[in-house]
Amino acid sequence: MNFLRGVMGGPSAGPQPSGADTIQKLCDRVASSTLLDDRRDAVRALKSLSKKYRLEVGIQAMEHLIHVLQTDRSDSEIIGYALDTLYNVISNDLEEEEQEENSTKQVDDLGSQFTEIFIKQQENVTLLLTLVEEFDFHVRWPGVKLLTSLLKQQGPQVQQIILVSPMGVSRLMDLLADSREVIRNDGVLLLQQLTKSNAAIQKIVAFENAFERLLDIITEEGNSDGGIVVEDCLLLLQNLLKNNNSNQNFFKEGSYIQRMKPWFEVGDDNCGWSAQKVTNLHLMLQLVRVLVSPTNPPGATSSCQKAMFHCGLLEQLCTILMATGVPADILTETINTVSEVIRGCQTNQDYFASVNAPSNPPRPAIVVLLMSMVNERQPFVLRCAVLYCFQCFLYKNQKGQGEIVSTLLPSTIDATGNSVSAGQLLCGGLFSTDSLSNWCAAVALAHALQENATLKEQLLRVQLATSIGNPPVSLLQQCTNILSQGSKVQTRVGLLMLLCTWLSNCSIAVTHFLHNPANVPFLTGQIAENLGEEEQLVQGLCALLLGISIYYNDNSLENYRKEKLKQLIEKRIGRENFIEKLGFISKHELYSRAAQKPQPSFSSPDHMMFDHEFTKLVKELEGVISKAIYKSSEEDKKEEEVKKTLEQHDNIVTHYKKVIREQDQELEELKQRINTLTSQNEQLQATVTQQVSQIQQHKDQYNLLKVQLGKDTQHHNSHGDTFQMNGIQTEEVSKLKEELEEWKNKHELLQGQLKEKDSVIEKLNSSQLEMGTTEQSSQTSKFGGLEHNNELQKELEMLRSQIQLQSAEISKLQMENQKLQVMNATADPMLGDSGGTAATSSELEGRLEQEIKELKSEVKALSEEKESLKQHLDSSSSTVAILQDEKSKLQREVAESKKEQDDLLVLLADQDQKISALKIKLKDLGVPVEDEDDTESGDQGDEDEDGDEEEQD
């Protein structure tokens, strides 16, 4: 309201233009007219005046226009005029075209304050969202433009209103599906403004299928060859994905990364790219970088990197990298994109190492890029991009670091000089006359040594030939020589960063550095001098290098032990002065810039001083070096002991980690073997099941053919047809005849064996009958033998039943033998007539061949039956042997029972004689004697008692 008072009562208020009265009359007409046509004409007139008299229309007519939107929704024409008028009042686009640069701020304030008036009532924005849903072009399009303008002027406030409106964002998402391209394209611009810096709205838009719709629009418009619409869609995609981990994960899980690959398909002729294509491709590369940015969570970045490799997107980017005719800014951005796609991902780094440039002979892409980095004629931004690519290639890549350092070692240098290696290029850049090449090569070599103590030791073996006739010097010595020669600040800063990285955490390298007696005096001299601001950075780095030489000193050199170096600092420099010079590094403005992000981004080559990874090293060592300077010798000893203990502990942990890693590998291999064996087992089981079914089918076919063969044989015997056979069939029949003769002989032999068994069985039967009579005679004296005999009879009955079964099988075999004899008899005349007749039908020959096959199968069946018969005979012979043993036992028992009966009869006869003699004596004495019947009964009772006693005995 203060703004309105200023407008109405300020210095600018004076004689109003003629249009002011007209605007007032039109506003009164809009407010008071009852006819819709009159109100429509008045709003149309306000629209025509709103561009020229923006301020007046905005002040006087805004309230009336909002009232029209609320009350006259049934008439699309008046609604369209009202929306257009509000857009002209609020938007700064038209005014900016007419205003000069000095009045731009005033124009911005005007649009912003009109917007503030409009959104003061949140119902106005909700009403506008409702109007945007209308399908009528004259309502929807102005509504979209007006809402976009409101978001431009007061973005956060309008975003909040839309966010709390029911289905507010979803209503706007329908604009992307509008078949009218004008509304669809302006809908993309609206969503751009809506999604700026608002993560909640970004998530809602993403889950409303925005990715799918935007990618479809980009494809329809021709990908990178499309127009401004593709650019707008890419900007909206960047808004949705940048710094939004949820949307990035949704984008990856939805397989939308795979749909980005066609964007980067370039042809052989890359000349004459339009400015729009360059812009589109630049935005596409930036979108890829958003997904793999080092600032993203490591897990999300890694998964996106793997997806880009598997879908071929990395390969496509490397193709652009090595293509010819690509514009310089696109090439630079492609190098940066490839850098972040491979950063920290071993698979992608290995692939990049295998990429070759299309040259003759082919050279690795890394070598070609390094050639550009050390070439001072290349653009500065391109050289920075190549350095970043090299740093990302070596980031957490010990394999790649080893390959780079190996190109510097004497055993791997190509003596022929036909090819240039990466190590040779780095050494050439390190000692060239261009200070930027010196710095880039030093930083690149430092990254090859980053967190790798083994390579730091190996690099000490590198020898350089400085000039003809002079002995070679080590790389370490050459770096210190250049430092002492007083080169440019940028060169010395690069070499000092390389030396600090090289010596840190490597006691052997510190010993080599201190072995040169000129190094320590040079460092103390540089630190002790009072130089200008430009040299303060060098002094700080010299202090850091000297501090590293103390902290990582193993006291192997007597003249440069820790204690002596600290005494030297105290005498020559002073501890406080040393700490102050060491602090120059972290206080430098360029240090703070480099510490922000890994990518080297500098406005000019002169600002290229610090590397991102080096800032981490400074942050780590600055405190420990300050403490080490003030420590006494006793504390140093204690610290050394603690270090040794920690080193031992680290070695043990490393050993166990190695063991665990090997065990994990073995487990993975075993799991793979188990999976392989499981799959093989499943395949074999399926094969066995299939073969079992095939065998069953073959059995069924065999049975069917066997039945058919029996029918065909009977028919053949009844008609007595003769067949003509060729030479091969005659041989088969002769072989079959011989086999039949063998079977006949075997059959006769089996019949003889059966007859022998029959005779043995008959003997057993006769002996069984004899034993039966013996049992009847001794029934009163031996009941146990009777039970045993009954068991023997049961076994004999079982044997008889087995013999009957065997005889049935033999009869069956004889019947089949007779059939074979009949078939053989029919085959003999065929053999005799084979030369007589010359032509028979092929059908009869086929039947004969089938009969021969069936005869072979019958022979095979007979052999199987022979084996079963042998088994039956063996079992019967074993049964006969058992029966013979039982028979002998029974015969012995019968003989014993007969002997006992004879003894009993003798005793009975003696007793009768004694009884008769006693009777005679009794009669002579006159004693009465019982009758004979009583005597017989008494005798019978005595005999029974005697029998019982014998049984008890």
Side-chain angles (χ1 to χ4, degrees):
M1 297 303 294
N2 293 331
F3 167 73
L4 294 179
R5 293 193 188 97
V7 170
M8 297 299 294
S12 60
Q16 297 292 328
S18 60
D21 296 335
T22 306
I23 292 171
Q24 183 62 44
K25 292 178 181 179
L26 291 173
C27 290
D28 294 340
R29 187 176 176 186
V30 171
S32 60
S33 296
T34 57
L35 295 177
L36 179 62
D37 292 339
D38 292 342
R39 293 198 303 274
R40 185 189 305 121
D41 293 339
V43 174
R44 183 190 300 115
L46 286 173
K47 175 189 172 184
S48 62
L49 294 171
S50 61
K51 293 182 180 179
K52 185 175 182 181
Y53 301 102
R54 177 184 176 191
L55 178 63
E56 292 78 3
V57 172
I59 294 173
Q60 301 180 39
M62 181 174 290
E63 184 178 352
H64 301 294
L65 294 172
I66 294 173
H67 183 71
V68 169
L69 296 178
Q70 294 172 347
T71 58
D72 293 330
R73 291 185 58 184
S74 59
D75 185 68
S76 59
E77 191 173 358
I78 191 173
I79 295 295
Y81 292 149
L83 291 173
D84 283 334
T85 305
L86 289 171
Y87 172 73
N88 292 338
V89 169
I90 291 174
S91 175
N92 290 327
D93 296 340
L94 298 174
E95 192 74 17
E96 286 175 354
E97 296 177 1
E98 301 174 1
Q99 296 290 333
E100 297 180 357
E101 294 181 359
N102 55 6
S103 61
T104 302
K105 185 176 180 181
Q106 180 183 355
V107 172
D108 290 342
D109 291 341
L110 187 62
S112 177
Q113 296 208 25
F114 278 133
T115 302
E116 188 176 352
I117 295 171
F118 184 85
I119 67 174
K120 189 174 183 180
Q121 300 294 328
Q122 295 188 7
E123 295 80 5
N124 296 339
V125 180
T126 306
L127 174 63
L128 188 55
L129 290 173
T130 306
L131 294 174
V132 169
E133 282 188 292
E134 297 289 338
F135 185 74
D136 194 318
F137 181 82
H138 297 289
V139 175
R140 195 172 206 182
W141 188 39
V144 170
K145 293 194 296 181
L146 176 58
L147 190 55
T148 305
S149 182
L150 292 175
L151 286 165
K152 286 182 180 179
Q153 302 297 335
Q154 298 287 340
Q157 292 86 343
V158 180
Q159 285 175 344
Q160 193 61 32
I161 296 172
I162 294 174
L163 192 60
V164 298
S165 299
M167 300 294 290
V169 179
S170 299
R171 296 176 186 177
L172 301 179
M173 284 301 300
D174 294 337
L175 297 173
L176 296 180
D178 200 305
S179 58
R180 295 160 293 193
E181 290 189 2
V182 175
I183 295 179
R184 184 200 68 184
N185 298 342
D186 282 351
V188 174
L189 296 175
L190 170 61
L191 291 173
Q192 275 185 30
Q193 300 297 327
L194 180 65
T195 56
K196 276 185 178 180
S197 305
N198 194 308
I201 294 179
Q202 290 168 2
K203 292 179 182 179
I204 296 173
V205 171
F207 283 96
E208 288 286 345
N209 206 21
F211 293 140
E212 184 77 26
R213 296 182 184 181
L214 291 173
L215 292 174
D216 288 342
I217 294 173
I218 292 173
T219 304
E220 292 171 4
E221 295 292 327
N223 294 328
S224 61
D225 293 323
I228 189 68
V229 179
V230 173
E231 179 183 348
D232 294 336
C233 291
L234 292 170
L235 290 172
L236 177 55
L237 284 172
Q238 283 192 20
N239 286 352
L240 296 175
L241 293 173
K242 195 169 186 178
N243 299 325
N244 194 316
N245 300 328
S246 175
N247 284 1
Q248 290 175 6
N249 186 61
F250 181 70
F251 191 84
K252 179 185 70 68
E253 295 296 335
S255 300
Y256 296 120
I257 291 178
Q258 288 80 345
R259 296 187 60 179
M260 298 170 70
K261 181 184 175 184
W263 296 354
F264 304 103
E265 293 178 355
V266 296
D268 297 332
D269 186 13
N270 298 310
C271 299
W273 284 12
S274 64
Q276 187 61 57
K277 180 173 182 177
V278 172
T279 302
N280 291 344
L281 202 54
H282 199 273
L283 290 172
M284 290 172 177
L285 292 169
Q286 287 182 348
L287 190 62
V288 175
R289 294 185 64 185
V290 165
L291 295 171
V292 293
S293 173
T295 58
N296 293 342
T301 300
S302 177
S303 59
C304 290
Q305 287 173 332
K306 292 177 182 177
M308 290 177 183
F309 172 75
H310 290 300
C311 74
L313 180 57
L314 176 59
E315 181 182 0
Q316 203 70 43
L317 293 174
C318 291
T319 302
I320 298 177
L321 198 65
M322 295 291 107
T324 56
V326 178
D329 52 347
I330 294 297
L331 181 60
T332 302
E333 190 63 24
T334 304
I335 294 173
N336 289 327
T337 306
V338 171
S339 305
E340 294 183 352
V341 172
I342 67 174
R343 187 176 189 269
C345 182
Q346 187 67 52
T347 304
N348 295 5
Q349 289 168 339
D350 292 342
Y351 171 77
F352 183 70
S354 65
V355 175
N356 287 324
S359 59
N360 191 15
R363 289 178 176 174
I366 298 174
V367 173
V368 176
L369 291 175
L370 288 177
M371 292 173 69
S372 300
M373 185 185 74
V374 298
N375 186 355
E376 55 183 314
R377 291 192 296 271
Q378 293 293 338
F380 171 66
V381 289
L382 179 63
R383 299 174 73 179
C384 291
V386 172
L387 176 62
Y388 184 47
C389 184
F390 191 73
Q391 292 174 349
C392 292
F393 171 68
L394 297 179
Y395 182 71
K396 293 184 179 179
N397 183 11
Q398 292 189 354
K399 179 182 176 183
Q401 289 176 325
E403 291 174 354
I404 297 298
V405 173
S406 66
T407 59
L408 286 166
L409 300 178
S411 58
T412 57
I413 294 177
D414 187 7
T416 60
N418 293 330
S419 61
V420 180
S421 65
Q424 292 172 336
L425 288 171
L426 290 177
C427 282
L430 194 62
F431 307 122
S432 70
T433 56
D434 179 29
S435 61
L436 185 58
S437 297
N438 301 153
W439 191 92
C440 291
V443 171
L445 197 54
H447 276 262
L449 303 175
Q450 200 79 36
E451 298 179 358
N452 198 323
T454 304
L455 295 181
K456 292 177 182 179
E457 296 177 7
Q458 290 185 3
L459 199 64
L460 296 171
R461 297 164 44 201
V462 176
Q463 300 289 322
L464 301 175
T466 55
S467 60
I468 300 175
N470 293 329
V473 297
S474 67
L475 177 61
L476 183 65
Q477 181 61 43
Q478 184 65 15
C479 291
T480 56
N481 291 341
I482 296 175
L483 274 177
S484 60
Q485 291 173 2
S487 53
K488 293 182 179 179
V489 174
Q490 191 175 38
T491 300
R492 284 182 286 164
V493 168
L495 290 173
L496 286 169
M497 286 195 298
L498 171 60
L499 290 174
C500 289
T501 305
W502 194 348
L503 270 60
S504 65
N505 202 20
C506 184
S507 300
I508 299 177
V510 171
T511 303
H512 278 71
F513 178 77
L514 295 176
H515 193 267
N516 186 350
N519 289 338
V520 174
F522 168 75
L523 293 178
T524 54
Q526 288 286 320
I527 299 169
E529 289 182 5
N530 293 320
L531 303 174
E533 293 184 359
E534 294 182 356
E535 296 292 333
Q536 286 184 353
L537 188 56
V538 176
Q539 286 184 319
L541 291 172
C542 288
L544 179 65
L545 182 58
L546 185 57
I548 291 173
S549 301
I550 295 173
Y551 186 71
Y552 293 104
N553 193 343
D554 59 359
N555 295 326
S556 58
L557 295 177
E558 184 63 29
N559 294 332
Y560 296 103
R561 297 174 64 85
K562 284 185 178 182
E563 193 61 32
K564 290 187 176 181
L565 289 175
K566 287 192 284 187
Q567 292 175 1
L568 182 65
I569 290 175
E570 189 171 1
K571 291 179 180 179
R572 297 278 184 90
I573 305 169
R575 291 179 181 178
E576 291 77 10
N577 191 22
F578 179 86
I579 300 301
E580 181 185 358
K581 297 293 179 66
L582 183 62
F584 285 165
I585 302 174
S586 57
K587 293 177 182 178
H588 203 281
E589 179 184 359
L590 298 178
Y591 174 91
S592 302
R593 291 182 185 177
Q596 293 176 358
K597 58 181 180 178
Q599 182 182 359
S601 56
F602 306 99
S603 57
S604 66
D606 296 336
H607 294 163
M608 208 168 188
M609 289 294 177
F610 284 109
D611 172 57
H612 178 75
E613 292 297 326
F614 181 74
T615 60
K616 295 181 181 179
L617 181 66
V618 173
K619 188 176 180 180
E620 176 186 350
L621 294 178
E622 187 176 7
V624 296
I625 290 174
S626 300
K627 292 179 182 179
I629 295 299
Y630 287 98
K631 282 182 182 178
S632 62
S633 58
E634 295 179 357
E635 291 176 344
D636 286 338
K637 290 179 181 179
K638 291 180 181 179
E639 187 177 355
E640 288 178 1
E641 292 177 357
V642 172
K643 280 185 179 180
K644 290 180 181 179
T645 306
L646 291 175
E647 287 178 0
Q648 292 176 358
H649 181 267
D650 291 340
N651 293 333
I652 294 172
V653 171
T654 304
H655 173 69
Y656 281 115
K657 284 183 178 179
K658 183 178 180 182
V659 172
I660 292 170
R661 194 179 300 110
E662 292 175 355
Q663 290 177 350
D664 289 340
Q665 292 177 355
E666 291 177 358
L667 283 174
E668 289 297 328
E669 292 175 358
L670 290 174
K671 286 180 181 178
Q672 292 177 359
R673 288 182 61 186
I674 288 172
N675 293 333
T676 304
L677 292 174
T678 304
S679 61
Q680 290 178 356
N681 186 25
E682 292 175 355
Q683 293 176 359
L684 291 174
Q685 286 180 352
T687 305
V688 168
T689 305
Q690 185 179 2
Q691 290 179 352
V692 168
S693 62
Q694 291 179 355
I695 289 170
Q696 186 62 38
Q697 292 177 1
H698 292 162
K699 285 183 179 179
D700 296 340
Q701 293 176 1
Y702 168 74
N703 294 330
L704 181 61
L705 291 174
K706 188 174 181 181
V707 174
Q708 291 178 357
L709 177 63
K711 293 179 180 180
D712 293 340
T713 304
Q714 292 176 1
H715 179 73
H716 177 74
N717 290 336
S718 62
H719 291 282
D721 297 334
T722 59
F723 303 98
Q724 180 182 2
M725 301 171 61
N726 55 24
I728 298 174
Q729 292 172 339
T730 304
E731 293 177 359
E732 292 179 353
V733 171
S734 61
K735 291 180 181 179
L736 187 59
K737 190 173 180 180
E738 293 176 358
E739 291 179 358
L740 287 173
E741 290 295 333
E742 292 178 0
W743 283 110
K744 287 178 182 179
N745 296 333
K746 293 178 180 178
H747 183 66
E748 291 175 358
L749 180 60
L750 292 174
Q751 284 180 347
Q753 293 177 356
L754 285 173
K755 286 178 181 179
E756 292 177 359
K757 299 296 180 181
D758 290 337
S759 62
V760 173
I761 292 168
E762 288 175 1
K763 289 178 182 180
L764 289 173
N765 288 331
S766 61
S767 63
Q768 176 66 24
L769 293 174
E770 292 176 359
M771 286 188 287
T773 56
T774 306
E775 289 169 2
Q776 291 177 0
S777 63
S778 61
Q779 185 174 6
T780 58
S781 64
K782 189 71 173 178
F783 290 100
L786 182 59
E787 293 176 356
H788 189 72
N789 192 18
N790 290 333
E791 293 178 359
L792 185 59
Q793 283 181 352
K794 290 180 181 178
E795 290 180 356
L796 287 172
E797 289 298 329
M798 291 174 63
L799 183 59
R800 288 192 187 103
S801 63
Q802 290 180 357
I803 291 171
Q804 288 176 1
L805 291 174
Q806 290 178 356
S807 61
E809 291 179 356
I810 290 169
S811 61
K812 181 180 178 182
L813 184 61
Q814 288 175 350
M815 290 175 65
E816 292 182 355
N817 189 20
Q818 289 176 1
K819 290 181 182 179
L820 290 173
Q821 288 176 355
V822 171
M823 294 172 66
N824 190 19
T826 57
D828 289 339
M830 285 189 286
L831 287 170
D833 298 338
S834 61
T837 59
T840 59
S841 65
S842 60
E843 181 180 359
L844 295 177
E845 290 180 359
R847 289 181 60 188
L848 184 57
E849 290 177 357
Q850 186 175 1
E851 288 176 1
I852 290 170
K853 293 180 181 178
E854 294 297 332
L855 286 173
K856 288 183 178 180
S857 62
E858 289 293 334
V859 170
K860 185 176 180 181
L862 284 173
S863 63
E864 293 176 354
E865 290 178 355
K866 172 196 170 186
E867 294 296 330
S868 63
L869 187 57
K870 280 184 178 181
Q871 294 177 358
H872 285 300
L873 287 174
D874 293 337
S875 62
S876 62
S877 61
S878 62
T879 305
V880 168
I882 294 170
L883 289 174
Q884 285 177 353
D885 294 338
E886 295 293 331
K887 174 187 173 184
S888 61
K889 290 180 181 179
L890 288 173
Q891 286 175 352
R892 288 194 298 270
E893 291 177 357
V894 168
E896 291 176 357
S897 62
K898 283 182 181 181
K899 184 177 180 181
E900 290 175 356
Q901 284 180 352
D902 291 340
D903 295 338
L904 185 59
L905 290 173
V906 171
L907 292 172
L908 288 174
D910 292 339
Q911 188 177 8
D912 288 339
Q913 289 176 3
K914 290 179 181 180
I915 290 171
S916 62
L918 289 173
K919 283 181 180 181
I920 295 169
K921 289 180 180 181
L922 289 172
K923 286 180 181 181
D924 292 342
L925 293 172
V927 178
V929 181
E930 295 178 357
D931 296 337
E932 291 180 0
D933 294 337
D934 296 333
T935 304
E936 289 177 359
S937 63
D939 294 339
Q940 184 67 35
D942 294 336
E943 289 177 359
D944 293 339
E945 291 176 359
D946 294 337
D948 294 337
E949 291 175 356
E950 290 175 358
E951 288 179 359
Q952 292 175 359
D953 295 337

